[in-house]
Structure formats: structure tokens, C-alpha cells
Amino acid sequence: MEKHMKRCTTTLFSLLFILAVTSSAFGQITDVTIRDINAIDADSVAALNALGANLTAGDIPSKIFNDLVSDSVRFTAVVMSDPANSGLSTPDENGEPSRVHYFVRDTSAVAQGNDGMGIQIVDGAWRDTGSLNLLPGDVVEMVGTVGPFGTTMQIAPITINNLGNYEGLGLPASLLDAVSITTSDANMDMGNGTVQVNWNNLAALRGQYVSMSGVSVVQRDISSSRPDWLVSSDNAATVMNNYDTSLRVRNDRSDYSTTLFNPRT
């Protein structure tokens, strides 16, 4: 209970930081939905599909990102995963990582649907922004910088204003529901045992909170302290990889601060 209360209470420093930062500090802010950030031009999707098995890594970046990359944007979203479960960054001698990772969903999904409304938050300024004060279900107004990573989009927060829990704001519990998918929704069978991103669904699914039922583990690697595995909905015609899991389930993060984070104990 003490830890929960500590994280739910925004520190005075964080509050002052939010109040002190103005638009002049980070230029023009564009009000968007997360769907706007994830949007991919239809002609670009068609071009990717037309390349088929001839697609190279160099063909991809220019087609899957839009003009919001590097822009400062503002949106309202619900927190979908616990920032204190993040474990992708190696901690320092104090058990504190350089960044925390978590996912949010735009509250516009209530009226507009979940497609394209999820994104990863990668917060390198978490000591100042108050990310670790957030819990799943909290609704935030966030200002941040858009950046690409691989085939996904992410946000580096500048300010985070916690508006309260979704229930207190009158938002439905369905806002937090997972989207049910199969592995073929995410990846396409290209033949000869190879798969490729399902470009038709990328804008809708990147950063999305999903569930899969009836999948099978078709391959695993337990040779290191961070196991990874492949799952499939269709007897390995298409697969999805699981690797960067949270502190709650991974084996190689025993040195995180237990005061601030939730590593396995």
C-alpha cells in the first residue's frame, strides 16, 4: 500500500516541472490522435505489398513513417502497462535504468475504435516527468516527440499531466480491452519458411495491446538468461517472436531497484 500511494502521488518537483515548461521550450505542438502518428499512406502500403519477396530492409523506412516523425505532439491516452514493470534498459549501480518503457492507448478509441490507437512510451527523463507515478488505467495528457524504431513508432515524453483514473473520468472499462489477433494478422507467410510484416495491418497493430488464443510455441531458445520463443496460430505458416518481456517475467534483470520498480523476487 505504501508503494502504491507513493507512485500515485505526483511529487512537487514533477508538478513544478510540468507547470514551468511552456511551448517555447520545445517549439510548435501539434494536437493529434495516436492514430495520426501510426498512419501509413495507402500508396506506400501498396508499394510494399507489390515488392513482395523482393522487399529489402532499405525499402521499408521511407514507406512506413509519416511527416509527424520528430514533431512535438500532444494527445490524451490511458496507460495500458505498468511503467514500473519496464526492464529493457540496463540499470546503473543504483538499480536505476536510463529509460522506462510502457504503452498507452488514445482515449479517442472509445468513439473511433482501437485500430492505430496504441503506442510505446520511451521515457529517458522519467525522474522528471512522473512516469513512475502512473498506473494502468490512469489517463494522461502527454506532450512528446515522435520517433521511429524498427517498424514501430514511439514517443519520448516532454511533459505528462495525470488527469486521473479512467473510471473517475467516466470512460468505459472497454477502453482497456485487448484486441484479439492471430499471428497472420501481424505477419504474412512469404513461402519457404519465411514471414514478412503484414503491411495491410501495420498501422492498426503497432503499439497495440493484443491477445492471441490457441497459439502454439513452435520454437524456443533457452541458451541465454533471456529466453525467446516463436508462437504461431497456423502451424508455423506465420509466427511472432517474444523477446523483450517485462521485469515480471524475465530472468536477466535482478539488479533493478525494488523501491521504484517491480522486478521478480
Side-chain angles (χ1 to χ4, degrees), residues 88-143:
L88 300 189
S89 175
T90 302
D92 61 21
E93 64 276 7
N94 298 314
E96 296 187 1
S98 61
R99 63 189 186 277
V100 298
H101 298 244
Y102 56 101
F103 289 84
V104 300
R105 176 180 285 163
D106 200 298
T107 55
S108 299
V110 173
Q112 300 179 28
N114 291 329
D115 284 1
M117 292 297 193
I119 201 164
Q120 182 176 195
I121 308 303
V122 181
D123 192 356
W126 57 270
R127 296 170 185 82
D128 298 325
T129 61
S131 275
L132 283 188
N133 294 316
L134 301 176
L135 293 168
D138 285 343
V139 176
V140 297
E141 181 185 73
M142 184 174 294
V143 173

Side-chain angles (χ1 to χ4, degrees), residues 2 26 39 51 101 110 114 128 156 175 185 212 218 229 247 257:
E2 180 180 350
F26 39 81
L51 287 168
H101 298 244
V110 173
N114 291 329
D128 298 325
L175 179 61
D185 291 327
M212 293 182 287
V218 297
W229 60 97
L247 286 175
S257 165

Side-chain angles (χ1 to χ4, degrees), residues 196-208:
Q196 193 177 104
V197 172
N198 188 332
W199 306 112
N200 298 313
N201 296 335
L202 178 60
L205 292 182
R206 56 184 172 188
Q208 189 65 267

Side-chain angles (χ1 to χ4, degrees), residues 17-110:
F17 179 83
I18 290 170
L19 292 175
V21 177
T22 65
S23 59
S24 61
F26 39 81
Q28 181 66 37
I29 300 172
T30 304
D31 288 303
V32 299
T33 65
I34 292 175
R35 181 177 290 167
D36 296 328
I37 299 170
N38 283 321
I40 303 173
D41 183 78
D43 290 341
S44 294
V45 173
L48 289 165
N49 285 326
L51 287 168
N54 295 318
L55 182 73
T56 68
D59 296 321
I60 299 171
S62 64
K63 295 180 175 62
I64 63 172
F65 304 120
N66 59 49
D67 292 342
L68 289 175
V69 170
S70 299
D71 281 3
S72 296
V73 298
R74 178 169 47 217
F75 55 84
T76 303
V78 62
V79 177
M80 300 294 289
S81 63
D82 193 335
N85 289 350
S86 172
L88 300 189
S89 175
T90 302
D92 61 21
E93 64 276 7
N94 298 314
E96 296 187 1
S98 61
R99 63 189 186 277
V100 298
H101 298 244
Y102 56 101
F103 289 84
V104 300
R105 176 180 285 163
D106 200 298
T107 55
S108 299
V110 173

Side-chain angles (χ1 to χ4, degrees), residues 164-183:
N165 186 269
Y166 76 94
E167 292 177 307
L169 296 171
L171 295 169
S174 58
L175 179 61
L176 300 172
D177 286 350
V179 174
S180 179
I181 67 168
T182 65
T183 53

